[in-house]
Amino acid sequence: MKLISATVRSYRVHREVTVDFDPGRTLIGGPNESGKSTLIEAVHRALFLKAQVTGEPQRSMVSRTYPGHPEVELEFEVQGVRYHLL
């Protein structure tokens, strides 16, 4: 699987952020508490948790700063076929 892009909306510290992954290498950098780990967590949860989450896992995703439900949008490729996941 090759990640192409990830967009995170209303997810903890992120109002809306999009990362386009380079085919060779992507580095995510920034100051402490800027949301680097949160972005990676959001991608992980989108790929490996069930779509409808309740309880503590869902509450931990909600932004206390930005309104709306947490949302993760991924575009990826597997064996030459492109997928879009929301």
Side-chain angles (χ1 to χ4, degrees), residues 22-66:
D22 185 89
R25 180 181 315 173
T26 299
L27 300 173
I28 298 174
N32 290 342
E33 301 299 319
S34 63
K36 301 176 300 287
S37 296
T38 299
L39 176 69
I40 299 306
E41 175 191 290
V43 170
H44 178 265
R45 285 182 177 217
L47 289 170
F48 299 109
L49 287 185
K50 33 183 209 178
Q52 297 292 324
V53 178
T54 61
E56 182 53 36
Q58 192 272 339
R59 284 191 296 276
S60 73
M61 295 182 234
V62 174
S63 174
R64 293 189 175 125
T65 310
Y66 305 110

